[in-house]
Amino acid sequence: MKKFYYYARLNDNDVCIEIVSRVDRLKDVTGYVEIPEYNETVRYRKWLGDQWSFETYEPEIDTVIQDTLSELEIKWEK
C-alpha cells in the first residue's frame, strides 16, 4: 500500500487554504508545509514557521468567490 504525504497549501500570507495529499514527497517547493496526517484543523490558520497560529483567518465569502473566478480566468487564458 502506498504512503500518502500531506501538505498544507499556504497563500501569500502564510495562511493554509487547503490540504493536499500526494503519493510523492514535495521537495524544494515553496508555499507548502508538510503535515504528519490529514488534518482539517490547520485550515485557515497561519503558519508561523514552526507551528500553527491559534487564530483562524477564514476568508469572507466574496474573497472565496473572487479567488475561484480568478483561477478559472487564468485557466481559460492558457
Side-chain angles (χ1 to χ4, degrees):
M1 186 157 96
K2 290 187 178 187
K3 174 179 171 50
F4 282 93
Y5 297 94
Y6 299 100
Y7 295 89
R9 186 166 76 99
L10 307 178
N11 67 10
D12 294 336
N13 297 317
D14 292 332
V15 175
C16 174
I17 54 174
E18 73 175 318
I19 306 300
V20 178
S21 62
R22 300 182 48 92
V23 293
D24 54 335
R25 181 171 261 147
L26 293 177
K27 295 180 183 177
D28 301 323
V29 178
T30 58
Y32 291 85
V33 174
E34 187 171 352
I35 54 178
E37 60 191 18
Y38 187 88
N39 182 354
E40 283 283 331
T41 63
V42 300
R43 281 189 67 178
Y44 305 121
R45 294 188 188 276
K46 187 171 188 168
W47 178 244
L48 303 173
D50 61 348
Q51 66 182 7
W52 295 101
S53 66
F54 290 107
E55 307 83 31
T56 59
Y57 299 87
E58 292 191 39
E60 294 181 19
I61 190 67
D62 292 340
T63 305
V64 173
I65 292 170
Q66 185 60 44
D67 290 346
T68 303
L69 180 59
S70 296
E71 288 177 17
L72 289 172
E73 287 173 342
I74 290 169
K75 287 180 182 178
W76 280 103
E77 290 176 358
K78 291 182 179 182

